[in-house]
Amino acid sequence: MTEATDLSIRELLQKFSDKSLSPSEYWLALEKHIEAWEPTIAALYAYDPEEARKQAAASTERWAKGTPLGPLDGIPVTLKELIATKGQPVPLGTAAVELVPAAEDAPITARLREDGAVIFAKTTCPDYGMLSSGLSSFHKLSRNPWDPTQNPGGSSAGASAAAAAGYGPLHIGTDIGGSVRLPAGWTGIFGFKPSHGRIPVDPYYVGRCAGPMTRTVEDTAFAMATLSRPDWRDGTSLPPNAIDWIDLDIDVRGMKIGLMLDAGCGLPVDAEVRDAVISAAKRFEEAGAIVINVAPVLTRQMLDGLDVFWRARFWGDIMGLSEERREMILPYIYTWAKGGADISGVDAVRGFNQTIEMRRSCGKLFTEVDAVISPTNPIVSYPAEWASPTNDPALPFEHIGFTVPWNMSEQPASSINCGFSRSGMPIGLQIVGPRFDDMLVLRLSKAFENWTGGVTNWPKRPG
């Protein structure tokens, strides 16, 4: 039998509507589930079950009267710690930041509250969101529910762990180089990075997006109707849309899909990952798509340029901190960041210009194909205690070759499970669409989920 904690958003809304389950009853079941899991995976920050009970009770009253606030009324949600909630500090995953309460809700938080979602916790991330890892100088070490000795990825580490462990159907992460998709791949969940500006963020900057992290494609689609409403605080926020986010049907016959098995630089692709992605490509072919092998969009020069730009930018962010505060940053990240101290303005601009080259390269490829599929991550897994798949601050971005170009080109991309390794760890398939065609990515993802049946053997809670 399906446990209450495994219910989808659609199923929960139906039960809230027909009164066979109330938001309060669901929350209390979820609360016990979280209590069983949290000591093992440490996914949460600022967890407040008492406040969640109050929000769920208010939602229960609204449903009893037949007056829900919106399409997510009563649905429990977590937010990545970088997403501000009024009155709570935003530690940015690091011990170096002073804990000052946020003055206002971020755009995502505001939209969720408007629609009645139950925001019950923040989720962990590494220092400044600068690692693909659950390692942080501020938070406890977050772990992968499939195997707690392994890393959940990052920087949306806690969100991916929470989704895989079933902490409710909806978790929101952020992504500037793969921070939604990479952990989604390593934890078997669905992660969606929409077109840049589709979900308003604050602060916004080059490549930074936010996106849902869920167990199913449809749960993400339900969330997009709420999250995609514009907000003036994001200068890249897209205009209001009339998208029917739940219209997920697609016929792939005749579509030209590029299969990218080489990122162009960085870590080589594990054989098990390559085989799983090739098998996924065959699913598209069997459904009538035309799959063609395509060359990488990324070069070593592009990735190294981005590294230079990000080091310079991050050093600029932290140079105003006292030496004592800077020394509190996770050593891996601080060692990497100090490389930015000697980067000239000219070299920083040259590094930034490589983001434009990525965009140019991605744009050219999409004159030849309708969509692209690739591995999300080049490797199967790595230890929970490591700061990155290389664990080397001199080689910090060797694992983001498949994901980061699409941030710079502002194109929508998802990660969906396409199999498991011999060690039992999930393997992610990335699906990329043209700029602004978020629905194509969701529809292709839903089609693939239908063909495979999706993940059904989610990790069981301890005890």
Side-chain angles (χ1 to χ4, degrees), residues 2-3 32 38 42 48 68 105 124 133 168-169 177 209 228 232 238 245 276 299 342 357 405:
T2 300
E3 292 192 48
K32 292 179 181 178
E38 188 60 9
D48 192 344
D105 284 338
T124 61
S133 174
C209 297
S228 64
W232 68 267
L238 296 179
W245 292 99
T299 66
D342 298 322
E357 293 306 311

Side-chain angles (χ1 to χ4, degrees), residues 200-342:
V201 295
D202 181 31
Y204 67 92
Y205 44 84
V206 175
R208 186 174 190 234
C209 297
M213 303 175 74
T214 62
R215 284 184 169 186
T216 69
V217 177
E218 189 182 66
D219 280 348
T220 283
F222 266 104
M224 286 302 297
T226 295
L227 299 173
S228 64
R229 294 202 292 270
D231 193 292
W232 68 267
R233 289 172 288 176
D234 185 341
T236 67
S237 178
L238 296 179
N241 66 75
I243 298 170
D244 181 358
W245 292 99
I246 308 300
D247 180 12
L248 296 173
D249 292 335
I250 191 171
D251 183 349
V252 304
R253 285 178 295 182
M255 283 190 63
K256 190 179 287 187
I257 296 178
L259 172 60
M260 186 183 294
L261 294 172
D262 177 6
C265 57
L267 293 172
V269 177
D270 284 353
E272 288 184 275
V273 173
R274 181 184 178 90
D275 290 347
V277 171
I278 290 173
S279 293
K282 290 177 180 175
R283 295 267 193 175
F284 283 94
E285 284 185 322
E286 290 165 1
I290 302 165
V291 177
I292 60 172
N293 291 311
V294 296
V297 290
L298 189 69
T299 66
R300 183 82 255 173
Q301 185 178 6
M302 292 176 191
L303 189 60
D304 288 348
L306 185 66
D307 185 15
V308 167
F309 169 61
W310 275 351
R311 285 182 198 243
R313 182 190 178 280
F314 186 57
W315 184 254
D317 288 344
I318 67 171
M319 65 183 297
L321 297 175
S322 67
E323 181 64 24
E324 180 183 12
R325 282 274 171 191
R326 288 205 300 265
E327 292 288 348
M328 296 169 73
I329 297 172
L330 194 73
Y332 179 102
I333 294 179
Y334 191 36
T335 298
W336 169 77
K338 282 192 289 189
D342 298 322

Side-chain angles (χ1 to χ4, degrees), residues 18 22 106 127 130 133 172 198 230 236 259 297 303 344 350:
D18 67 22
S22 73
D127 294 52
M130 290 302 297
S133 174
I172 313 300
R198 181 69 70 195
T236 67
L259 172 60
V297 290
L303 189 60
S344 70
R350 285 174 176 159

Side-chain angles (χ1 to χ4, degrees), residues 176-177 298 303 306 310 358 400-408:
I176 191 174
L298 189 69
L303 189 60
L306 185 66
W310 275 351
M358 288 187 210
I400 67 174
F402 287 111
T403 54
V404 71
W406 314 113
N407 291 80
M408 302 309 145

Side-chain angles (χ1 to χ4, degrees), residues 382-462:
Y382 56 106
E385 294 79 11
W386 284 18
S388 75
T390 64
N391 208 31
D392 182 352
L395 298 168
F397 302 129
E398 299 303 292
H399 59 290
I400 67 174
F402 287 111
T403 54
V404 71
W406 314 113
N407 291 80
M408 302 309 145
S409 67
E410 303 188 357
Q411 293 174 237
S414 70
S415 178
I416 189 166
N417 179 259
C418 66
F420 290 83
S421 69
R422 288 186 296 274
S423 61
M425 299 305 292
I427 296 172
L429 173 74
Q430 182 176 227
I431 301 175
V432 186
R435 190 172 176 228
F436 305 135
D437 201 348
D438 302 77
M439 285 306 300
L440 177 63
V441 172
L442 290 179
R443 285 169 176 155
L444 290 175
S445 300
K446 178 58 175 171
F448 185 77
E449 184 181 65
N450 289 344
W451 301 333
T452 64
V455 177
T456 57
N457 59 326
W458 294 104
K460 300 300 180 186
R461 62 176 171 263

